[in-house]
Amino acid sequence: MKQPVGVILAGGLASRMGGGDKALLSLGGQTLLSRVIDRLAPQVAALALNANGDPARFAETGLPVVADSIDGFPGPLAGVLAGLDWAAEQGADTLVSVAADTPFFPCDLVPRLLLASEGQDHPLVLAATKGEAETRSKSRSGLIRHPTFGLWPVALRDDLRAALEGGLKKVVLWTEKHGGREALFPSTPFDPFFNVNTPEDLAQAEALL
């Protein structure tokens, strides 16, 4: 399999941070986005940013910016779809997505997603951890899935587009339909998929640094 390309999902509304771009918040002298780029870039063949609005505000990254093609902020799957369309233009077979507000995700994310996809006709894997979480998607096996961190097949992008246009919001309903798997990551000493949603989360991230 060719090395996947990557997309950083920064299309959220950041309402709990008072609006604006969470990705551009500073953490330990670097933006959240620059920390995410530093972690993902070595793991993928090429990298893009999914964001809506004026792309010039991300010019310093030097990354191509791809906007949602589905109107109305339908959630992270729209960003994944935008990434898949870009990936197809790059001639890639697979895409890895990460969230722009999650500065500590694993440095071996991509190889472990690829390992979990072995034998799949259409590689489709979500990162998962064990533990308690109210806001994320629990699988039948009791794992907590992190739907913004996944390996996605370019071959299913039109199926995903049709599902989103039909009103699909929940990532795992689509991944389960296509035989999606999970790649389990350790959640100690802290959850590597901890994301910054509130000012309190940003303070906690500073402490974790």
Side-chain angles (χ1 to χ4, degrees):
M1 186 192 297
K2 286 187 286 189
Q3 184 73 356
V5 295
V7 67
I8 298 169
L9 304 175
L13 297 173
S15 52
R16 283 185 279 177
M17 292 296 290
D21 289 300
K22 269 196 298 184
L24 299 180
L25 291 171
S26 180
L27 173 64
Q30 271 183 276
T31 64
L32 289 177
L33 180 57
S34 70
R35 290 184 176 277
V36 169
I37 291 170
D38 287 349
R39 282 186 178 245
L40 186 58
Q43 302 187 54
V44 293
L47 190 54
L49 180 65
N50 162 244
N52 300 297
D54 184 1
R57 66 196 195 276
F58 299 111
E60 281 189 10
T61 68
L63 297 179
V65 179
V66 294
D68 294 348
S69 59
I70 309 278
D71 291 335
F73 295 105
L77 269 179
V80 170
L81 176 60
L84 286 168
D85 287 339
W86 170 79
E89 293 170 6
Q90 311 309 305
D93 297 326
T94 52
L95 172 80
V96 170
S97 64
V98 305
D101 61 358
T102 309
F104 308 121
F105 71 85
C107 292
D108 60 350
L109 174 74
V110 174
R112 291 175 71 156
L113 291 174
L114 289 172
L115 188 64
S117 76
E118 284 187 355
Q120 286 184 302
D121 291 335
H122 297 304
L124 184 56
V125 181
L126 297 181
T129 49
K130 288 183 177 177
E132 295 301 319
E134 297 174 10
T135 57
R136 296 196 179 108
S137 303
K138 267 210 169 177
S139 70
R140 288 185 294 270
S141 59
L143 300 178
I144 299 158
R145 293 177 289 203
H146 302 275
T148 50
F149 288 82
L151 174 70
W152 311 87
V154 172
L156 291 181
R157 66 191 174 108
D158 289 331
D159 186 290
L160 177 57
R161 192 185 330 276
L164 285 170
E165 288 172 347
L168 176 76
K169 301 273 190 198
K170 199 166 175 60
V171 175
V172 296
L173 291 179
W174 187 78
T175 59
E176 287 180 351
K177 172 186 166 188
H178 291 288
R181 298 177 181 173
E182 288 105 21
L184 181 61
F185 291 85
S187 53
T188 55
F190 62 88
D191 180 0
F193 301 102
F194 167 81
N195 65 313
V196 176
N197 276 323
T198 65
E200 291 75 21
D201 290 339
L202 189 60
Q204 188 178 343
E206 290 278 3
L208 286 172
L209 266 185

